[in-house]
Amino acid sequence: MNKVILMGRLTRDPEVRYSAGENALAIARYTLAVDRRFRRDGEASADFISCVSFGRTAEFAEKYFRQGLKIAVTGRIQTGSYTNRDGQKVYTTEVVVEEQEFAESKSASDTYAASHPQSSAPAPSMPTPSAASADGFMNIPDGIDEELPFN
């Protein structure tokens, strides 16, 4: 079984391209900074995981995902290789995203973005007591109700 579940922060805005042809397919690539559970010498550390999504999932990432946003993804690990311009073989490992979702409320994301302007360092986990409303459900970001990915 090849199944991956990750939660982390986007290190930059997703890079989205569209395939050529009559039925163009969206392809989104982004990197997640995933905190490591245990710290060495008291310092926080993270793994930077490359992710790729296709179709409607990629279009959703293009529209709603921004640097610093905390998301959760599920998918599978895929490895590959190619020969670069210098003739050297390069090996790749990435997560092919099957599902993705917000892991914090818009207000918590905005608070995080305001306190971490354009930092390239890994994002530490931030408790989000305001992530759930009084009824216990996560707040849906503004504008998302118009075009939900599961119509």
Side-chain angles (χ1 to χ4, degrees), residues 131-139:
S133 63
D135 60 5
F137 289 97
M138 184 173 165
N139 298 320

Side-chain angles (χ1 to χ4, degrees), residues 73-135:
V73 301
T74 60
R76 61 183 169 83
I77 291 180
Q78 180 172 288
T79 60
S81 65
Y82 64 93
T83 303
N84 67 12
R85 292 180 183 155
D86 300 329
Q88 295 180 330
K89 195 163 195 164
V90 177
Y91 294 93
T92 62
T93 302
E94 60 191 359
V95 172
V96 177
V97 175
E98 296 166 356
E99 297 177 27
Q100 59 192 10
E101 59 188 66
F102 299 103
E104 67 184 354
S105 68
K106 183 165 178 22
S107 62
S109 176
D110 291 345
T111 301
Y112 177 83
S115 65
H116 294 82
Q118 299 296 322
S119 73
S120 60
S125 289
M126 186 170 91
T128 54
S130 63
S133 63
D135 60 5

Side-chain angles (χ1 to χ4, degrees), residues 6-24:
L6 300 170
M7 186 179 325
R9 293 194 183 275
L10 293 162
T11 61
R12 58 179 162 45
D13 290 354
E15 177 184 315
V16 181
R17 296 181 183 193
Y18 289 83
S19 64
E22 187 177 318
N23 297 325

Side-chain angles (χ1 to χ4, degrees), residues 3-4 12-13 22-23 26 35 38 45 49 53 59 66-67 71 79 82 87 102 104 114-117 122 131 134 142:
K3 188 76 166 178
V4 176
R12 58 179 162 45
D13 290 354
E22 187 177 318
N23 297 325
D35 290 335
F38 301 102
S45 61
I49 314 292
S53 61
E59 292 168 1
R66 296 291 172 255
Q67 178 179 346
I71 64 169
T79 60
Y82 64 93
F102 299 103
E104 67 184 354
S115 65
H116 294 82
D142 296 334

